[in-house]
mmCIF file of all heavy atoms in Angstrom:
data_model
loop_
_atom_site.group_PDB
_atom_site.id
_atom_site.type_symbol
_atom_site.label_atom_id
_atom_site.label_comp_id
_atom_site.label_asym_id
_atom_site.label_seq_id
_atom_site.Cartn_x
_atom_site.Cartn_y
_atom_site.Cartn_z
ATOM 1 N N VAL B 1 -1.205 -4.088 -10.838
ATOM 2 C CA VAL B 1 -1.475 -4.588 -9.504
ATOM 3 C C VAL B 1 -2.925 -4.258 -9.115
ATOM 4 O O VAL B 1 -3.608 -3.471 -9.783
ATOM 5 C CB VAL B 1 -0.531 -3.914 -8.409
ATOM 6 C CG1 VAL B 1 0.897 -4.292 -8.688
ATOM 7 C CG2 VAL B 1 -0.671 -2.425 -8.389
ATOM 8 N N ASP B 2 -3.431 -4.870 -8.053
ATOM 9 C CA ASP B 2 -4.730 -4.595 -7.493
ATOM 10 C C ASP B 2 -4.563 -3.865 -6.149
ATOM 11 O O ASP B 2 -3.597 -4.162 -5.408
ATOM 12 C CB ASP B 2 -5.490 -5.906 -7.288
ATOM 13 C CG ASP B 2 -5.748 -6.674 -8.581
ATOM 14 O OD1 ASP B 2 -5.879 -5.992 -9.592
ATOM 15 O OD2 ASP B 2 -5.743 -7.895 -8.520
ATOM 16 N N ILE B 3 -5.476 -3.044 -5.863
ATOM 17 C CA ILE B 3 -5.427 -2.212 -4.587
ATOM 18 C C ILE B 3 -6.658 -2.610 -3.729
ATOM 19 O O ILE B 3 -7.780 -2.560 -4.225
ATOM 20 C CB ILE B 3 -5.379 -0.743 -4.870
ATOM 21 C CG1 ILE B 3 -4.230 -0.354 -5.737
ATOM 22 C CG2 ILE B 3 -5.324 0.039 -3.515
ATOM 23 C CD1 ILE B 3 -4.268 1.081 -6.166
ATOM 24 N N ARG B 4 -6.387 -2.948 -2.507
ATOM 25 C CA ARG B 4 -7.449 -3.199 -1.511
ATOM 26 C C ARG B 4 -7.296 -2.232 -0.359
ATOM 27 O O ARG B 4 -6.305 -2.238 0.344
ATOM 28 C CB ARG B 4 -7.327 -4.668 -1.016
ATOM 29 C CG ARG B 4 -8.369 -4.980 0.081
ATOM 30 C CD ARG B 4 -8.298 -6.494 0.412
ATOM 31 N NE ARG B 4 -6.993 -6.853 0.909
ATOM 32 C CZ ARG B 4 -6.548 -8.081 0.990
ATOM 33 N NH1 ARG B 4 -7.338 -9.050 0.520
ATOM 34 N NH2 ARG B 4 -5.376 -8.351 1.438
ATOM 35 N N ALA B 5 -8.328 -1.397 -0.108
ATOM 36 C CA ALA B 5 -8.224 -0.357 0.883
ATOM 37 C C ALA B 5 -9.311 -0.515 1.922
ATOM 38 O O ALA B 5 -10.526 -0.608 1.537
ATOM 39 C CB ALA B 5 -8.327 1.023 0.227
ATOM 40 N N SER B 6 -8.945 -0.545 3.159
ATOM 41 C CA SER B 6 -9.890 -0.543 4.272
ATOM 42 C C SER B 6 -9.863 0.853 4.873
ATOM 43 O O SER B 6 -9.199 1.798 4.383
ATOM 44 C CB SER B 6 -9.554 -1.598 5.274
ATOM 45 O OG SER B 6 -8.331 -1.302 5.928
ATOM 46 N N LYS B 7 -10.541 0.976 5.985
ATOM 47 C CA LYS B 7 -10.496 2.284 6.710
ATOM 48 C C LYS B 7 -9.142 2.614 7.191
ATOM 49 O O LYS B 7 -8.758 3.790 7.391
ATOM 50 C CB LYS B 7 -11.511 2.330 7.812
ATOM 51 C CG LYS B 7 -13.040 2.291 7.313
ATOM 52 C CD LYS B 7 -13.977 2.254 8.473
ATOM 53 C CE LYS B 7 -15.418 2.216 8.031
ATOM 54 N NZ LYS B 7 -16.367 2.204 9.157
ATOM 55 N N GLN B 8 -8.386 1.524 7.534
ATOM 56 C CA GLN B 8 -7.072 1.743 8.203
ATOM 57 C C GLN B 8 -5.913 1.508 7.303
ATOM 58 O O GLN B 8 -4.789 2.089 7.503
ATOM 59 C CB GLN B 8 -6.911 0.816 9.425
ATOM 60 C CG GLN B 8 -7.838 1.129 10.586
ATOM 61 C CD GLN B 8 -9.204 0.683 10.443
ATOM 62 O OE1 GLN B 8 -9.433 -0.358 9.818
ATOM 63 N NE2 GLN B 8 -10.206 1.346 11.004
ATOM 64 N N THR B 9 -6.014 0.645 6.264
ATOM 65 C CA THR B 9 -4.824 0.300 5.500
ATOM 66 C C THR B 9 -5.107 0.412 3.975
ATOM 67 O O THR B 9 -6.255 0.308 3.517
ATOM 68 C CB THR B 9 -4.420 -1.162 5.801
ATOM 69 O OG1 THR B 9 -5.516 -2.059 5.492
ATOM 70 C CG2 THR B 9 -4.061 -1.311 7.282
ATOM 71 N N VAL B 10 -3.971 0.472 3.215
ATOM 72 C CA VAL B 10 -4.005 0.362 1.801
ATOM 73 C C VAL B 10 -3.044 -0.756 1.461
ATOM 74 O O VAL B 10 -1.831 -0.711 1.758
ATOM 75 C CB VAL B 10 -3.528 1.655 1.095
ATOM 76 C CG1 VAL B 10 -3.383 1.431 -0.419
ATOM 77 C CG2 VAL B 10 -4.559 2.761 1.401
ATOM 78 N N GLU B 11 -3.546 -1.795 0.839
ATOM 79 C CA GLU B 11 -2.723 -3.009 0.489
ATOM 80 C C GLU B 11 -2.686 -3.108 -1.046
ATOM 81 O O GLU B 11 -3.651 -2.867 -1.749
ATOM 82 C CB GLU B 11 -3.319 -4.263 1.116
ATOM 83 C CG GLU B 11 -3.332 -4.234 2.642
ATOM 84 C CD GLU B 11 -3.985 -5.534 3.157
ATOM 85 O OE1 GLU B 11 -4.882 -6.105 2.556
ATOM 86 O OE2 GLU B 11 -3.576 -5.937 4.310
ATOM 87 N N VAL B 12 -1.492 -3.577 -1.477
ATOM 88 C CA VAL B 12 -1.252 -3.736 -2.899
ATOM 89 C C VAL B 12 -0.969 -5.193 -3.146
ATOM 90 O O VAL B 12 -0.137 -5.865 -2.495
ATOM 91 C CB VAL B 12 -0.058 -2.891 -3.400
ATOM 92 C CG1 VAL B 12 0.115 -2.974 -4.897
ATOM 93 C CG2 VAL B 12 -0.246 -1.437 -2.972
ATOM 94 N N LEU B 13 -1.669 -5.755 -4.131
ATOM 95 C CA LEU B 13 -1.530 -7.202 -4.445
ATOM 96 C C LEU B 13 -1.118 -7.426 -5.873
ATOM 97 O O LEU B 13 -1.598 -6.674 -6.751
ATOM 98 C CB LEU B 13 -2.820 -7.951 -4.136
ATOM 99 C CG LEU B 13 -3.302 -7.942 -2.690
ATOM 100 C CD1 LEU B 13 -4.271 -6.796 -2.461
ATOM 101 C CD2 LEU B 13 -4.010 -9.231 -2.329
ATOM 102 N N TYR B 14 -0.275 -8.365 -6.086
ATOM 103 C CA TYR B 14 0.166 -8.801 -7.464
ATOM 104 C C TYR B 14 -0.174 -10.187 -7.628
ATOM 105 O O TYR B 14 0.401 -11.091 -6.897
ATOM 106 C CB TYR B 14 1.649 -8.490 -7.639
ATOM 107 C CG TYR B 14 2.178 -8.872 -9.009
ATOM 108 C CD1 TYR B 14 1.894 -8.163 -10.103
ATOM 109 C CD2 TYR B 14 3.009 -10.038 -9.116
ATOM 110 C CE1 TYR B 14 2.385 -8.583 -11.370
ATOM 111 C CE2 TYR B 14 3.508 -10.396 -10.297
ATOM 112 C CZ TYR B 14 3.170 -9.734 -11.440
ATOM 113 O OH TYR B 14 3.632 -10.071 -12.693
ATOM 114 N N GLN B 15 -1.075 -10.504 -8.590
ATOM 115 C CA GLN B 15 -1.499 -11.916 -8.761
ATOM 116 C C GLN B 15 -1.962 -12.518 -7.430
ATOM 117 O O GLN B 15 -1.559 -13.641 -7.067
ATOM 118 C CB GLN B 15 -0.373 -12.718 -9.437
ATOM 119 C CG GLN B 15 -0.018 -12.242 -10.838
ATOM 120 C CD GLN B 15 1.024 -13.027 -11.525
ATOM 121 O OE1 GLN B 15 1.616 -13.944 -10.976
ATOM 122 N NE2 GLN B 15 1.310 -12.659 -12.789
ATOM 123 N N ARG B 16 -2.711 -11.768 -6.683
ATOM 124 C CA ARG B 16 -3.365 -12.162 -5.419
ATOM 125 C C ARG B 16 -2.290 -12.335 -4.273
ATOM 126 O O ARG B 16 -2.686 -12.816 -3.220
ATOM 127 C CB ARG B 16 -4.242 -13.410 -5.599
ATOM 128 C CG ARG B 16 -5.408 -13.170 -6.478
ATOM 129 C CD ARG B 16 -6.414 -14.391 -6.454
ATOM 130 N NE ARG B 16 -6.921 -14.596 -5.114
ATOM 131 C CZ ARG B 16 -7.857 -13.803 -4.569
ATOM 132 N NH1 ARG B 16 -8.395 -12.785 -5.224
ATOM 133 N NH2 ARG B 16 -8.340 -14.147 -3.332
ATOM 134 N N GLN B 17 -1.089 -12.009 -4.506
ATOM 135 C CA GLN B 17 -0.077 -12.014 -3.436
ATOM 136 C C GLN B 17 0.177 -10.625 -2.931
ATOM 137 O O GLN B 17 0.282 -9.688 -3.697
ATOM 138 C CB GLN B 17 1.216 -12.613 -4.004
ATOM 139 C CG GLN B 17 1.106 -14.074 -4.518
ATOM 140 C CD GLN B 17 0.604 -15.019 -3.455
ATOM 141 O OE1 GLN B 17 1.180 -15.055 -2.275
ATOM 142 N NE2 GLN B 17 -0.333 -15.873 -3.743
ATOM 143 N N LEU B 18 0.255 -10.505 -1.596
ATOM 144 C CA LEU B 18 0.413 -9.214 -0.941
ATOM 145 C C LEU B 18 1.806 -8.634 -1.232
ATOM 146 O O LEU B 18 2.829 -9.253 -0.863
ATOM 147 C CB LEU B 18 0.155 -9.282 0.512
ATOM 148 C CG LEU B 18 0.197 -7.967 1.307
ATOM 149 C CD1 LEU B 18 -0.918 -7.023 0.901
ATOM 150 C CD2 LEU B 18 0.080 -8.267 2.819
ATOM 151 N N LEU B 19 1.896 -7.501 -1.869
ATOM 152 C CA LEU B 19 3.187 -6.852 -2.098
ATOM 153 C C LEU B 19 3.556 -5.780 -1.052
ATOM 154 O O LEU B 19 4.700 -5.715 -0.646
ATOM 155 C CB LEU B 19 3.139 -6.106 -3.467
ATOM 156 C CG LEU B 19 3.275 -6.878 -4.729
ATOM 157 C CD1 LEU B 19 3.382 -5.901 -5.911
ATOM 158 C CD2 LEU B 19 4.476 -7.784 -4.718
ATOM 159 N N ALA B 20 2.546 -5.028 -0.630
ATOM 160 C CA ALA B 20 2.815 -3.910 0.300
ATOM 161 C C ALA B 20 1.571 -3.606 1.097
ATOM 162 O O ALA B 20 0.464 -3.797 0.607
ATOM 163 C CB ALA B 20 3.260 -2.662 -0.503
ATOM 164 N N SER B 21 1.828 -3.118 2.319
ATOM 165 C CA SER B 21 0.744 -2.707 3.153
ATOM 166 C C SER B 21 1.139 -1.369 3.824
ATOM 167 O O SER B 21 2.196 -1.266 4.446
ATOM 168 C CB SER B 21 0.448 -3.735 4.224
ATOM 169 O OG SER B 21 -0.619 -3.307 5.071
ATOM 170 N N HIS B 22 0.270 -0.386 3.732
ATOM 171 C CA HIS B 22 0.544 0.962 4.220
ATOM 172 C C HIS B 22 -0.644 1.363 5.170
ATOM 173 O O HIS B 22 -1.779 0.957 4.924
ATOM 174 C CB HIS B 22 0.615 2.007 3.146
ATOM 175 C CG HIS B 22 1.766 1.794 2.208
ATOM 176 N ND1 HIS B 22 2.996 2.442 2.349
ATOM 177 C CD2 HIS B 22 1.872 1.041 1.085
ATOM 178 C CE1 HIS B 22 3.776 2.082 1.397
ATOM 179 N NE2 HIS B 22 3.161 1.273 0.593
ATOM 180 N N GLU B 23 -0.325 2.163 6.185
ATOM 181 C CA GLU B 23 -1.340 2.786 6.930
ATOM 182 C C GLU B 23 -2.031 3.866 6.080
ATOM 183 O O GLU B 23 -1.332 4.643 5.406
ATOM 184 C CB GLU B 23 -0.748 3.418 8.181
ATOM 185 C CG GLU B 23 -1.813 4.043 9.089
ATOM 186 C CD GLU B 23 -1.203 4.641 10.375
ATOM 187 O OE1 GLU B 23 -0.034 4.411 10.617
ATOM 188 O OE2 GLU B 23 -1.974 5.375 11.059
ATOM 189 N N ARG B 24 -3.347 3.784 5.993
ATOM 190 C CA ARG B 24 -3.998 4.683 5.130
ATOM 191 C C ARG B 24 -4.131 6.149 5.618
ATOM 192 O O ARG B 24 -4.342 6.322 6.852
ATOM 193 C CB ARG B 24 -5.515 4.183 4.869
ATOM 194 C CG ARG B 24 -6.257 5.051 3.895
ATOM 195 C CD ARG B 24 -7.592 4.390 3.574
ATOM 196 N NE ARG B 24 -8.374 5.195 2.652
ATOM 197 C CZ ARG B 24 -9.529 4.823 2.113
ATOM 198 N NH1 ARG B 24 -10.046 3.664 2.491
ATOM 199 N NH2 ARG B 24 -10.200 5.620 1.283
ATOM 200 N N SER B 25 -3.793 7.048 4.779
ATOM 201 C CA SER B 25 -3.894 8.462 5.131
ATOM 202 C C SER B 25 -5.189 9.054 4.530
ATOM 203 O O SER B 25 -5.539 8.779 3.363
ATOM 204 C CB SER B 25 -2.740 9.249 4.650
ATOM 205 O OG SER B 25 -2.882 10.641 4.829
ATOM 206 N N HIS B 26 -5.942 9.787 5.311
ATOM 207 C CA HIS B 26 -7.153 10.420 4.802
ATOM 208 C C HIS B 26 -6.892 11.915 4.434
ATOM 209 O O HIS B 26 -7.833 12.640 4.167
ATOM 210 C CB HIS B 26 -8.263 10.284 5.825
ATOM 211 C CG HIS B 26 -8.658 8.873 6.027
ATOM 212 N ND1 HIS B 26 -9.529 8.208 5.174
ATOM 213 C CD2 HIS B 26 -8.295 7.941 6.999
ATOM 214 C CE1 HIS B 26 -9.684 6.984 5.635
ATOM 215 N NE2 HIS B 26 -8.971 6.769 6.677
ATOM 216 N N GLU B 27 -5.633 12.280 4.471
ATOM 217 C CA GLU B 27 -5.266 13.558 3.942
ATOM 218 C C GLU B 27 -4.916 13.390 2.420
ATOM 219 O O GLU B 27 -4.929 12.278 1.913
ATOM 220 C CB GLU B 27 -4.056 14.148 4.686
ATOM 221 C CG GLU B 27 -4.378 14.387 6.191
ATOM 222 C CD GLU B 27 -3.195 15.015 6.918
ATOM 223 O OE1 GLU B 27 -2.069 15.150 6.286
ATOM 224 O OE2 GLU B 27 -3.331 15.257 8.118
ATOM 225 N N VAL B 28 -4.644 14.418 1.706
ATOM 226 C CA VAL B 28 -4.444 14.387 0.271
ATOM 227 C C VAL B 28 -3.073 14.972 -0.085
ATOM 228 O O VAL B 28 -2.669 15.958 0.533
ATOM 229 C CB VAL B 28 -5.582 15.132 -0.436
ATOM 230 C CG1 VAL B 28 -5.335 15.151 -1.960
ATOM 231 C CG2 VAL B 28 -6.935 14.483 -0.142
ATOM 232 N N GLY B 29 -2.446 14.371 -1.032
ATOM 233 C CA GLY B 29 -1.189 14.962 -1.567
ATOM 234 C C GLY B 29 0.031 14.461 -0.986
ATOM 235 O O GLY B 29 1.083 15.121 -1.005
ATOM 236 N N THR B 30 0.012 13.261 -0.299
ATOM 237 C CA THR B 30 1.240 12.741 0.349
ATOM 238 C C THR B 30 1.769 11.491 -0.374
ATOM 239 O O THR B 30 0.982 10.719 -0.905
ATOM 240 C CB THR B 30 0.882 12.310 1.797
ATOM 241 O OG1 THR B 30 0.290 13.526 2.472
ATOM 242 C CG2 THR B 30 2.127 11.928 2.569
ATOM 243 N N ILE B 31 3.093 11.369 -0.369
ATOM 244 C CA ILE B 31 3.695 10.139 -0.929
ATOM 245 C C ILE B 31 4.248 9.330 0.231
ATOM 246 O O ILE B 31 4.978 9.854 1.080
ATOM 247 C CB ILE B 31 4.872 10.525 -1.898
ATOM 248 C CG1 ILE B 31 4.327 11.318 -3.084
ATOM 249 C CG2 ILE B 31 5.637 9.347 -2.342
ATOM 250 C CD1 ILE B 31 5.417 11.817 -4.035
ATOM 251 N N PHE B 32 3.851 8.064 0.219
ATOM 252 C CA PHE B 32 4.294 7.118 1.276
ATOM 253 C C PHE B 32 5.214 6.120 0.602
ATOM 254 O O PHE B 32 4.724 5.182 -0.093
ATOM 255 C CB PHE B 32 3.087 6.479 1.977
ATOM 256 C CG PHE B 32 2.125 7.361 2.674
ATOM 257 C CD1 PHE B 32 1.124 8.006 1.984
ATOM 258 C CD2 PHE B 32 2.408 7.729 3.970
ATOM 259 C CE1 PHE B 32 0.292 8.868 2.656
ATOM 260 C CE2 PHE B 32 1.530 8.651 4.684
ATOM 261 C CZ PHE B 32 0.502 9.262 3.951
ATOM 262 N N LYS B 33 6.464 6.211 0.936
ATOM 263 C CA LYS B 33 7.448 5.300 0.298
ATOM 264 C C LYS B 33 8.264 4.654 1.425
ATOM 265 O O LYS B 33 8.958 5.305 2.235
ATOM 266 C CB LYS B 33 8.419 6.116 -0.596
ATOM 267 C CG LYS B 33 9.293 5.249 -1.520
ATOM 268 C CD LYS B 33 10.011 6.094 -2.536
ATOM 269 C CE LYS B 33 9.311 6.410 -3.708
ATOM 270 N NZ LYS B 33 10.137 6.978 -4.812
ATOM 271 N N LEU B 34 8.230 3.295 1.466
ATOM 272 C CA LEU B 34 8.917 2.532 2.471
ATOM 273 C C LEU B 34 10.380 2.304 2.049
ATOM 274 O O LEU B 34 10.637 2.036 0.879
ATOM 275 C CB LEU B 34 8.207 1.213 2.725
ATOM 276 C CG LEU B 34 6.752 1.273 3.260
ATOM 277 C CD1 LEU B 34 6.223 -0.105 3.447
ATOM 278 C CD2 LEU B 34 6.663 2.123 4.521
ATOM 279 N N ASP B 35 11.311 2.365 3.028
ATOM 280 C CA ASP B 35 12.716 2.133 2.706
ATOM 281 C C ASP B 35 12.904 0.703 2.122
ATOM 282 O O ASP B 35 13.769 0.549 1.240
ATOM 283 C CB ASP B 35 13.549 2.322 3.922
ATOM 284 C CG ASP B 35 13.632 3.752 4.432
ATOM 285 O OD1 ASP B 35 13.292 4.646 3.632
ATOM 286 O OD2 ASP B 35 13.976 3.962 5.621
ATOM 287 N N ALA B 36 12.144 -0.251 2.574
ATOM 288 C CA ALA B 36 12.309 -1.631 2.132
ATOM 289 C C ALA B 36 11.962 -1.765 0.668
ATOM 290 O O ALA B 36 12.337 -2.782 0.011
ATOM 291 C CB ALA B 36 11.468 -2.548 2.965
ATOM 292 N N HIS B 37 11.243 -0.803 0.092
ATOM 293 C CA HIS B 37 10.867 -0.864 -1.293
ATOM 294 C C HIS B 37 11.865 -0.211 -2.237
ATOM 295 O O HIS B 37 11.767 -0.352 -3.464
ATOM 296 C CB HIS B 37 9.501 -0.173 -1.472
ATOM 297 C CG HIS B 37 8.373 -0.852 -0.782
ATOM 298 N ND1 HIS B 37 7.169 -0.240 -0.545
ATOM 299 C CD2 HIS B 37 8.281 -2.127 -0.261
ATOM 300 C CE1 HIS B 37 6.339 -1.083 0.101
ATOM 301 N NE2 HIS B 37 7.009 -2.239 0.214
ATOM 302 N N LEU B 38 12.853 0.463 -1.699
ATOM 303 C CA LEU B 38 13.832 1.119 -2.496
ATOM 304 C C LEU B 38 14.887 0.197 -3.045
ATOM 305 O O LEU B 38 15.287 -0.784 -2.359
ATOM 306 C CB LEU B 38 14.505 2.249 -1.697
ATOM 307 C CG LEU B 38 13.532 3.311 -1.069
ATOM 308 C CD1 LEU B 38 14.401 4.320 -0.274
ATOM 309 C CD2 LEU B 38 12.788 4.026 -2.103
ATOM 310 N N PRO B 39 15.455 0.481 -4.200
ATOM 311 C CA PRO B 39 16.600 -0.347 -4.673
ATOM 312 C C PRO B 39 17.822 -0.120 -3.805
ATOM 313 O O PRO B 39 17.967 0.961 -3.189
ATOM 314 C CB PRO B 39 16.831 0.180 -6.126
ATOM 315 C CG PRO B 39 16.245 1.501 -6.122
ATOM 316 C CD PRO B 39 15.081 1.534 -5.171
ATOM 317 N N ALA B 40 18.794 -1.028 -3.826
ATOM 318 C CA ALA B 40 19.944 -0.910 -2.920
ATOM 319 C C ALA B 40 20.795 0.291 -3.341
ATOM 320 O O ALA B 40 21.319 0.968 -2.457
ATOM 321 C CB ALA B 40 20.762 -2.254 -3.015
#
C-alpha cells in the first residue's frame, strides 16, 4: 500500500483507492486499530 500523511491525518491507499484514514498521532509507540477493520 501507499501512505499519505498530512499534519492531521494518515491515509492508506491501495492502487490509488483510499483504504483507511486515521487521525495522526505525534506521540510514539501507539497502535491505532479501527473496529471496522477487524474480521467478523
Side-chain angles (χ1 to χ4, degrees):
V1 297
D2 300 326
I3 304 172
R4 176 174 61 197
S6 68
K7 293 180 180 179
Q8 290 81 31
T9 61
V10 174
E11 296 178 329
V12 185
L13 298 93
Y14 177 73
Q15 297 182 354
R16 295 191 59 77
Q17 300 298 314
L18 183 65
L19 282 186
S21 180
H22 295 266
E23 183 178 351
R24 182 173 180 176
S25 172
H26 294 279
E27 298 180 359
V28 176
T30 306
I31 295 176
F32 297 90
K33 191 174 273 190
L34 300 180
D35 291 341
H37 295 164
L38 304 178

